[in-house]
Amino acid sequence: MMERRRMGAALLVLFLGNLANALEVPLDLPQPPTITHQSPKDYIIDPRENIIIHCEAKGKPHPSFSWTRNGTHFDIDHEPKVTMRPHSGTLVVDISAEKAESYEGVYQCTARNEHGTAVSNNIVIRQSRSPLWSKERNEPIVVQEGVSLVLQCRPPAGLPPPIIFWMDNNFQRLPQSSRVSQALNGDLYFSNILKEDSRNDYICYARFPHTQTIQQKQPITVRVLNLDAINETMAAFYNDTDLFSEAPKDERKPTFLIPSGPSSSKMVLRGQVLELECIAEGLPTPEISWSKVSGDFPAKRTSFLHYQKTLHIVNVSESDAGEYRCTARNWLGSVHHTIRVTVKASPYWIGGPPRNLVLAPRETGVLTCRANGTPKPTITWTMNGIPIENSPKDPSRKVEDDTVIFTEVQSGSSAVYQCNVSNEYGYLLSNAFVNVLSEPPRVLTPSDRVYQVIRNNRALMDCSSFGSPIPKITWFKDTTLNGDPYIQHDNGTLEIHVAQAHNSGKYTCVARNSLGTYENHVYLEVKEPTRILKQPEYKVVRRGRSVVFECKVKHDPSLIPTMTWLKDNGELPDDERFIVDSDSLTITDVIENDEGVYTCIMNTSLDHDSASAELTVVERPDPPTDLELTDQRERSVQLTWTPGDEHNSPIQKFLIQYEDSLHHRGHWHNLTEVRGTKTTAHLKLSPYVHYTFRVLASNAVGFSQPSFPSRMFKTNPAAPDENPTGVDGYGTEHDNLVISWKPMSGLQSNGPGLQYKVMWRQKEVDKEWTSVTVANVSKFVVSGTPTFVPYELKVQALNTYGVGPEPAIAHGHSGEDLPVAAPDNVQVLVLNSTLAEVHWEPVPPKSVRGRLKGYKVYYWRERSLHKHNPHHMEKQILTFSGNHSHGMLPGLHPFSIYSLNVRVYNGKGEGPPSPSQQFETPEGVPSVPSFLRITNPNLDSLTLEWGHPHDRNGRLAGYTLRYQSVNSSNELGPVKELALPANATAVTLPNLKYSTRYKFYLSAKTDRGAGPAISEEAVTIMDEVRPATPAFGNVSSSWAEDGALISWEYWGPERNVYVEYVVKNSEGEDEEEWQKEYVNGSQNLMLKGLKEGLSYRVRVVAKGHSDQTLHHSEELVVMVPAMASRQVDIATQGWFIGLMCAIALLILILLIICFIQRNKGGKYPVKEKEDAHTDPEFQPMKDDDCTFGEYR
């Protein structure tokens, strides 16, 4: 017992000490074979393709291969259809003239060389099968509405099993729901069947994935009949007997269709998928829920499929064993079923399969085969494919259960050992060699390799080595690297846990063993990290708009970045609406499918950074559905509805509208609004209305489309609840009273036969009411009334079912007449030359004979007191509303005689005028002089001429002239003032400075003062002796097709500017020879009509008011070019045009002849159409799940 404990301790030490021995041996060194690739254990082949059984291995020398089939040697030389690939053990079977099933069996590959033998798994070859569906005739299934139904599929057994789905004749998937669903066995289950389930094309399809073929079951017809339809159908066969006189299929509590009974059991293998299924029938449709009796579901591995009817757990482990309960529930009750799940396990490795051993002579090592399973598996060892107990004895080898111990191995003891672990659910087979070598060290990592790493990340630099004995690795960077921050792993890798910029540089690794030394150099570069500086932000956008996500990034300049955008962790849709720029993503014309999480990823060769933002697409809500009317009463009803999709924007309110098809068909009216959280409304209604309701939903985006209308709800007639509004009384003539009101709508009438009872009496005179009943009108005229007296009025509604409530009393007056009196004691107070105040005494109220509106003052200007002004007779009116006794008359003309009268007016019109009154306005200031111009400019004098003011507004007393000089910088000099008599119209100012600009201001005056001034500017003539600054500059010319364009600059004040020109050869002394062109304010002019080949002298001049020249430019010589002789344009000649037309016509005729000959030449080859009527039992499919090209 003690010896076994010591042996166990020794094994642990050997195991830990030789973990690093599982090395990859370079292929230039001797080594036993290693299987590198083989076909799967269960290999299903396609009978239409050649069989390829893979077996690849490596070794030194390269191994040879052989095969067994069903446990015996498979002689390839005697199989003409079987070949082995060169330098490989892979078999290729040509089945072009053979049946694939003749090659079914269990195959095993053996790879051997002088150092050992490796074997593959047992490879079971089976041919895939997709048998045809058996011919059958499906009778129509007739069922009563509400019962459960199962449509069986029962596909032919295939290898591998087929995928089942149900479709219609148009190859569209049949819709499934919590009521209708497909079971795991392929049958279609109806928890309760409805009338709309009737159809004649329930078709079950089986897709065999290995051969990509479809098998189709014959269509099944289902007819769903309600009670009346069943009786009518069967009565003809049974003498009109009512076979189904009992009540229709009632609502019922759930029962399970599958599985049956209260409990069942299920076994599943570890690592596989557990699928538990419960389908129930009932009415209403039951809801399925799941629970685990003794624990919780593994959240990350559990999902619920097929409308909660299937529990799906992936990668099953032993902890998933236990009892699971499914519950079917509707409002009538519930039912439970318990499924007991047991978990078994085929063998699986613990810590991985055995590892290869490379040992130096006299070293010690261990091969370990650790595995588990349920039930516990058995472990057997073989050496070079032979049971180890039958192999040659080796004193250095000892086998203990799952371990083989090697002690002081000798050269030449290399071999391949096989570990086989098996139980009733499967097996594991692994090859591991023991290679005994003596080799000096070598470093396998390429020299001068450059490692790049991001700052603050882990840096790993490899020093992969080989040697036997195992080399020891040492790292250097200037000095030996030991301790923080360096970590050296057993495989020779050097790790820097947090790399910094100063860690960059050259590193050297040295491998040593007893046989030698080897060194290698690598380089480390530490880069700056990639970081997103501006992340995309959450966006809410309306459908049809555009949205932009920004993503700004910083990265190491030596790395090349790549920006990638994802939507919901997948690629962006292939849509031109998605526009990717260097730092943004733009989505135009957004649709609802664009909603999701968008991620920008900036990748470099070393790192990446990412950021995400969600896009929410909002839109108006969908219209409500399922409108129902309940709790129907005489004057109210309850309306309920189902809200539509909110489109990510919560519904804020519902608007309820109604249509009255009795009184106002086709028009919808708002009735009420309710909060968005409610789905019901209590509606108050009016009698005698045929209501139809609809509902609109509103969110932050806007209102939805209206819902479909509800059914009609009619309310009974009743007496009116209200009377007309807007009752008024007025007169259109002096002896009548018009009583008017706002007519009531059909909704307000409450019943048929709507009429109005109109009542009136004179206020404070009559005690009794006079009445009349009218219909279909909104006013009534009472004749013979006194003029403008008050009346009390009432209008009451009545219909066939009674009268309305007692109406309220309204007030009005009979008609008005024109006033009969004029205002007295009219007086005028003149306040100034343009304003007067009028006073009068109001007329007696009785004389108004109506409602007093106010007074009107008529006034007009008789004439001016100045003899030069004409007479004015147009009248003006000022209206003063209300009971005024005075008013102001603004805007009068000074120094004038005015007349006025005053009249009272009411709603009918104006009364007689008061006696006319006259008044005078005093003098005012005159208007501006009518003109001012400057004449006769000389060196030191100017003459000013002006016209009298149009409106003198009094006796003209004279004129005031003010003037001042203006220098070149527009600064004004001192003002000089000159008084001029009233009859003056001109003045000459002497002693002015030569060549100086002056500004003049002239105003007229009366005794009341001076009026506004008129201004003008002028310049005295330049002194001929003294030079002056030129007024013209930059005079130039250019030639165009229309003539010579003359341009210049001008700084003078004169506005009369001319361009003068004369032929150069002429004397030009006579002013009349110079031709003149007036310039209208511009600084260029086109001279037209110049003669070809001549030269012209041109100058620009500025002239004063008296036409004397004040300024002129230097002369410019303009040469007019002679035109070249005109060339004949061949394209415009008649003979050329005719020739071109004839050639074009000839070409057109030739083209038509060629086209006709081509059509007579026979048919062109076309591709024959493929046969559309392919065998429905055998249709090739695409790889996409349950879709196939021929059925699109």
Side-chain angles (χ1 to χ4, degrees):
M1 184 68 178
M2 184 65 68
E3 184 179 349
R4 291 185 62 86
R5 290 181 179 174
R6 289 176 181 172
M7 181 62 69
L11 289 176
L12 178 61
V13 172
L14 289 171
F15 176 72
L16 295 176
N18 286 280
L19 279 179
N21 288 11
L23 303 176
E24 188 73 19
V25 181
L27 278 176
D28 62 338
L29 297 178
Q31 58 183 293
T34 301
I35 302 285
T36 57
H37 178 54
Q38 57 184 314
S39 293
K41 295 178 181 178
D42 192 7
Y43 187 14
I44 300 175
I45 61 172
D46 189 334
R48 299 168 299 183
E49 298 176 356
N50 289 342
I51 304 171
I52 300 177
I53 311 174
H54 292 281
C55 181
E56 305 289 343
K58 66 179 181 177
K60 183 69 173 180
H62 189 72
S64 60
F65 297 90
S66 62
W67 286 84
T68 63
R69 176 183 176 189
N70 297 329
T72 61
H73 176 66
F74 185 51
D75 191 350
I76 299 173
D77 295 335
H78 290 81
E79 295 287 342
K81 295 294 184 180
V82 181
T83 57
M84 184 183 295
R85 290 178 176 172
H87 310 292
S88 167
T90 299
L91 298 182
V92 178
V93 182
D94 181 6
I95 62 169
S96 57
E98 298 283 342
K99 290 187 176 180
E101 60 187 18
S102 61
Y103 290 94
E104 291 183 330
V106 180
Y107 292 78
Q108 188 173 39
C109 174
T110 301
R112 60 172 54 86
N113 65 12
E114 61 189 61
H115 303 292
T117 301
V119 297
S120 71
N121 292 321
N122 287 329
I123 303 170
V124 180
I125 302 295
R126 294 187 294 170
Q127 173 189 331
S128 64
R129 288 175 172 81
S130 52
L132 299 179
W133 222 303
S134 59
K135 296 295 183 179
E136 59 181 345
R137 176 179 175 82
N138 294 323
E139 297 294 334
I141 300 175
V142 181
V143 293
Q144 181 182 351
E145 186 176 14
V147 302
S148 62
L149 178 64
V150 180
L151 300 183
Q152 294 181 345
C153 181
R154 306 295 169 86
L159 184 67
I163 298 171
I164 306 301
F165 50 95
W166 289 79
M167 302 177 78
D168 59 17
N169 276 333
N170 296 321
F171 307 108
Q172 299 297 316
R173 279 183 173 272
L174 294 176
Q176 298 189 22
S177 64
S178 58
R179 184 180 63 85
V180 183
S181 61
Q182 177 183 316
L184 295 177
N185 66 358
D187 292 347
L188 191 63
Y189 283 78
F190 296 80
S191 295
N192 52 78
I193 199 157
L194 302 179
K195 182 69 176 176
E196 55 263 28
D197 293 326
S198 294
R199 61 190 308 153
N200 59 3
D201 58 350
Y202 285 95
I203 306 174
C204 181
Y205 289 88
R207 181 169 73 89
F208 295 89
H210 210 79
T211 57
Q212 295 298 307
T213 57
I214 287 289
Q215 301 294 337
Q216 172 185 328
K217 185 182 179 73
Q218 291 297 320
I220 300 175
T221 298
V222 175
R223 298 176 186 166
V224 182
L225 304 179
N226 56 26
L227 188 63
D228 294 337
I230 293 175
N231 282 327
E232 292 173 3
T233 303
M234 304 301 293
F237 297 96
Y238 296 96
N239 299 323
D240 295 331
T241 302
D242 188 358
L243 297 179
F244 297 94
S245 57
E246 71 275 4
K249 196 67 176 177
D250 291 334
E251 295 181 340
R252 59 195 181 278
K253 64 181 293 186
T255 59
F256 281 114
L257 296 173
I258 54 170
S260 60
S263 63
S264 59
S265 62
K266 175 87 171 181
M267 190 277 288
V268 63
L269 290 180
R270 177 182 181 272
Q272 293 186 352
V273 176
L274 172 63
E275 286 187 315
L276 303 179
E277 181 178 49
C278 284
I279 300 178
E281 67 93 17
L283 191 64
T285 302
E287 294 181 357
I288 304 296
S289 60
W290 290 87
S291 62
K292 188 176 182 183
V293 176
S294 57
D296 297 326
F297 297 120
K300 295 183 178 180
R301 296 186 289 114
T302 303
S303 58
F304 299 95
L305 309 177
H306 306 138
Y307 305 92
Q308 300 287 109
K309 298 177 185 181
T310 303
L311 171 63
H312 190 87
I313 301 178
V314 299
N315 194 20
V316 169
S317 66
E318 288 81 355
S319 63
D320 296 323
E323 292 186 350
Y324 293 80
R325 174 176 292 178
C326 65
T327 302
R329 179 182 287 106
N330 65 15
W331 70 273
L332 292 173
S334 61
V335 63
H336 308 283
H337 184 91
T338 301
I339 305 174
R340 184 174 295 102
V341 174
T342 58
V343 178
K344 301 292 184 179
S346 60
Y348 57 92
W349 297 116
I350 299 175
R355 304 178 183 178
N356 295 331
L357 278 180
V358 178
L359 300 175
R362 306 192 66 78
E363 281 192 327
T364 298
V366 177
L367 284 180
T368 303
C369 185
R370 296 281 174 86
N372 201 357
T374 306
K376 183 174 179 61
T378 59
I379 299 176
T380 59
W381 287 95
T382 59
M383 186 183 80
N384 296 329
I386 301 173
I388 199 164
E389 59 270 16
N390 299 333
S391 300
K393 301 298 181 180
D394 186 350
S396 66
R397 180 183 70 222
K398 185 175 182 180
V399 179
E400 289 195 357
D401 296 329
D402 60 358
T403 305
V404 180
I405 305 170
F406 300 92
T407 307
E408 295 188 357
V409 296
Q410 301 298 319
S411 298
S413 59
S414 298
V416 182
Y417 291 83
Q418 289 82 32
C419 170
N420 189 309
V421 186
S422 62
N423 67 10
E424 61 185 283
Y425 298 110
Y427 75 93
L428 294 173
L429 176 65
S430 177
N431 292 277
F433 65 65
V434 176
N435 198 8
V436 181
L437 289 174
S438 292
E439 281 295 321
R442 65 172 73 179
V443 176
L444 304 179
T445 301
S447 61
D448 298 325
R449 173 177 284 184
V450 177
Y451 292 91
Q452 294 180 329
V453 67
I454 296 298
R455 180 170 55 82
N456 294 327
N457 282 304
R458 184 174 66 164
L460 294 173
M461 289 173 282
D462 293 333
C463 187
S464 178
S465 64
F466 183 80
S468 184
I470 297 173
K472 180 182 178 182
I473 304 299
T474 307
W475 282 90
F476 298 91
K477 184 190 180 194
D478 300 329
T479 61
T480 304
L481 302 179
N482 288 315
D484 191 54
Y486 302 102
I487 302 172
Q488 183 172 324
H489 294 274
D490 291 340
N491 64 356
T493 297
L494 180 67
E495 175 182 348
I496 305 174
H497 189 62
V498 181
Q500 300 297 326
H502 67 268
N503 295 130
S504 298
K506 178 181 177 181
Y507 289 78
T508 302
C509 78
V510 178
R512 292 186 179 91
N513 70 5
S514 59
L515 302 177
T517 301
Y518 193 101
E519 72 174 32
N520 192 40
H521 305 290
V522 295
Y523 297 87
L524 176 65
E525 296 178 355
V526 180
K527 306 290 186 179
E528 288 299 311
T530 301
R531 290 291 178 264
I532 293 179
L533 302 180
K534 184 173 183 181
Q535 301 184 354
E537 299 176 348
Y538 172 71
K539 300 284 187 179
V540 178
V541 65
R542 185 175 175 184
R543 186 171 59 195
R545 306 285 175 85
S546 296
V547 65
V548 178
F549 290 108
E550 289 187 297
C551 188
K552 298 187 182 298
V553 182
K554 178 184 178 182
H555 61 88
D556 191 288
S558 65
L559 301 177
I560 299 176
T562 303
M563 174 72 77
T564 304
W565 284 89
L566 303 178
K567 177 181 183 291
D568 297 329
N569 294 325
E571 293 184 357
L572 289 179
D574 185 11
D575 193 329
E576 61 184 9
R577 297 181 300 106
F578 288 77
I579 304 170
V580 178
D581 291 327
S582 59
D583 57 0
S584 67
L585 168 65
T586 303
I587 309 174
T588 62
D589 193 18
V590 170
I591 61 177
E592 288 185 357
N593 287 341
D594 297 335
E595 193 170 82
V597 176
Y598 288 84
T599 304
C600 72
I601 304 175
M602 177 59 77
N603 288 294
T604 67
S605 57
L606 297 181
D607 70 338
H608 73 276
D609 196 12
S610 63
S612 299
E614 186 175 359
L615 172 63
T616 299
V617 181
V618 298
E619 188 48 272
R620 298 178 181 181
D622 288 344
T625 58
D626 304 330
L627 272 64
E628 293 186 7
L629 299 176
T630 58
D631 193 18
Q632 302 174 7
R633 301 188 180 183
E634 192 72 22
R635 295 287 186 97
S636 67
V637 71
Q638 190 89 0
L639 175 65
T640 60
W641 60 89
T642 301
D645 192 337
E646 295 180 342
H647 294 296
N648 299 318
S649 179
I651 294 177
Q652 299 170 344
K653 65 180 179 180
F654 292 99
L655 172 64
I656 301 172
Q657 297 180 328
Y658 72 91
E659 177 195 27
D660 180 6
S661 58
L662 180 63
H663 303 102
H664 211 189
R665 180 183 295 274
H667 293 268
W668 290 89
H669 310 275
N670 294 343
L671 181 59
T672 188
E673 292 181 353
V674 297
R675 295 192 308 273
T677 56
K678 298 185 66 177
T679 59
T680 182
H682 187 77
L683 306 179
K684 295 182 179 180
L685 307 179
S686 298
Y688 194 53
V689 178
H690 293 180
Y691 283 100
T692 303
F693 302 99
R694 70 182 186 185
V695 184
L696 293 83
S698 173
N699 61 9
V701 182
F703 274 101
S704 70
Q705 291 295 317
S707 68
F708 287 113
S710 70
R711 62 180 176 85
M712 184 179 293
F713 180 70
K714 300 179 180 180
T715 54
N716 296 323
D721 293 327
E722 55 184 313
N723 291 308
T725 58
V727 178
D728 191 18
Y730 57 90
T732 57
E733 301 293 340
H734 67 88
D735 58 351
N736 74 4
L737 170 66
V738 178
I739 304 172
S740 65
W741 60 91
K742 182 180 179 181
M744 296 172 63
S745 65
L747 185 66
Q748 297 171 309
S749 66
N750 285 10
L754 177 64
Q755 294 181 312
Y756 303 101
K757 183 179 180 181
V758 184
M759 296 168 278
W760 69 92
R761 66 182 180 187
Q762 189 173 340
K763 189 175 182 180
E764 299 177 354
V765 174
D766 297 335
K767 292 184 178 180
E768 299 298 326
W769 292 87
T770 304
S771 66
V772 63
T773 300
V774 296
N776 300 322
V777 296
S778 60
K779 64 182 178 180
F780 179 76
V781 180
V782 181
S783 302
T785 62
T787 301
F788 198 69
V789 295
Y791 277 85
E792 293 179 330
L793 315 169
K794 293 193 297 185
V795 180
Q796 186 178 32
L798 63 155
N799 62 20
T800 306
Y801 290 83
V803 298
E806 179 64 27
I809 296 177
H811 300 276
H813 282 78
S814 58
E816 299 176 281
D817 205 349
L818 294 176
V820 295
D824 291 332
N825 196 21
V826 178
Q827 298 180 2
V828 181
L829 176 62
V830 178
L831 300 179
N832 56 43
S833 61
T834 61
L835 180 66
E837 185 175 8
V838 184
H839 290 262
W840 64 86
E841 289 184 2
V843 299
K846 288 187 177 181
S847 68
V848 177
R849 299 205 296 177
R851 185 171 286 104
L852 176 66
K853 293 293 185 77
Y855 291 86
K856 294 183 180 180
V857 177
Y858 285 75
Y859 65 101
W860 59 96
R861 186 183 181 191
E862 295 281 2
R863 62 183 176 86
S864 172
L865 292 174
H866 194 280
K867 63 180 180 179
H868 296 287
N869 289 92
H871 295 282
H872 299 273
M873 297 300 293
E874 60 273 10
K875 290 186 178 181
Q876 295 176 279
I877 303 174
L878 277 177
T879 300
F880 301 93
S881 300
N883 194 18
H884 284 268
S885 61
H886 67 279
M888 307 297 289
L889 301 181
L892 302 177
H893 288 275
F895 205 54
S896 301
I897 296 177
Y898 278 87
S899 296
L900 64 80
N901 59 52
V902 184
R903 309 177 190 189
V904 66
Y905 71 99
N906 60 16
K908 189 72 173 178
E910 300 175 0
S914 66
S916 294
Q917 300 287 329
Q918 275 195 349
F919 65 94
E920 293 183 6
T921 55
E923 283 186 314
V925 298
S927 65
V928 67
S930 57
F931 68 90
L932 174 64
R933 58 173 172 258
I934 313 298
T935 61
N936 299 325
N938 292 304
L939 284 175
D940 57 355
S941 66
L942 290 170
T943 300
L944 280 71
E945 297 178 354
W946 64 88
H948 295 300
H950 289 294
D951 295 320
R952 301 191 179 193
N953 296 334
R955 296 180 181 85
L956 206 60
Y959 293 91
T960 299
L961 175 64
R962 293 179 298 119
Y963 61 97
Q964 58 191 139
S965 61
V966 182
N967 63 15
S968 59
S969 59
N970 291 326
E971 294 176 349
L972 300 175
V975 177
K976 296 182 179 180
E977 187 171 308
L978 180 65
L980 302 171
N983 59 353
T985 58
V987 65
T988 299
L989 299 177
N991 302 323
L992 301 178
K993 295 181 180 180
Y994 65 88
S995 188
T996 301
R997 182 187 300 275
Y998 284 90
K999 191 164 187 177
F1000 302 95
Y1001 311 91
L1002 179 68
S1003 60
K1005 60 182 178 181
T1006 63
D1007 291 342
R1008 290 296 302 272
I1014 185 173
S1015 64
E1016 187 60 84
E1017 292 185 19
V1019 180
T1020 54
I1021 293 178
M1022 190 182 307
D1023 189 351
E1024 295 181 0
V1025 177
R1026 302 180 58 181
T1029 302
F1032 290 98
N1034 296 332
V1035 181
S1036 63
S1037 67
S1038 61
W1039 183 257
E1041 292 184 1
D1042 295 338
L1045 179 64
I1046 311 300
S1047 302
W1048 64 89
E1049 293 182 5
Y1050 175 58
W1051 304 286
E1054 284 70 24
R1055 298 178 182 175
N1056 297 326
V1057 178
Y1058 297 84
V1059 173
E1060 298 180 341
Y1061 60 99
V1062 68
V1063 177
K1064 184 179 180 182
N1065 295 334
S1066 63
E1067 295 296 330
E1069 299 298 331
D1070 188 357
E1071 286 293 327
E1072 292 184 359
E1073 290 187 10
W1074 289 82
Q1075 300 186 51
K1076 300 178 181 179
E1077 294 286 346
Y1078 176 69
V1079 179
N1080 187 16
S1082 66
Q1083 295 192 5
N1084 57 68
L1085 179 71
M1086 180 69 72
L1087 291 180
K1088 300 181 180 180
L1090 304 181
K1091 295 182 179 181
E1092 301 173 5
L1094 297 180
S1095 297
Y1096 288 83
R1097 295 157 56 199
V1098 180
R1099 66 188 181 189
V1100 188
V1101 300
K1103 299 192 175 186
H1105 291 287
S1106 57
D1107 206 29
Q1108 71 272 24
T1109 299
L1110 302 180
H1111 306 286
H1112 64 79
S1113 69
E1114 295 182 357
E1115 289 187 5
L1116 187 70
V1117 176
V1118 175
M1119 298 182 65
V1120 180
M1123 297 298 291
S1125 61
R1126 297 185 178 272
Q1127 299 292 328
V1128 176
D1129 188 356
I1130 189 173
T1132 62
Q1133 298 304 302
W1135 65 268
F1136 181 76
I1137 295 174
L1139 178 61
M1140 291 297 102
C1141 292
I1143 293 173
L1145 180 60
L1146 181 59
I1147 293 173
L1148 178 61
I1149 293 172
L1150 289 175
L1151 288 174
I1152 294 173
I1153 293 173
C1154 289
F1155 180 75
I1156 294 172
Q1157 291 297 324
R1158 182 183 181 91
N1159 286 340
K1160 290 181 178 180
K1163 296 183 179 178
Y1164 287 91
V1166 297
K1167 182 182 177 183
E1168 295 183 356
K1169 296 183 178 178
E1170 294 183 358
D1171 186 5
H1173 304 285
T1174 54
D1175 186 358
E1177 303 283 0
F1178 189 85
Q1179 294 291 339
M1181 294 293 295
K1182 293 186 178 178
D1183 289 337
D1184 299 335
D1185 186 20
C1186 299
T1187 61
F1188 46 99
E1190 290 82 0
Y1191 285 170
R1192 287 191 180 275

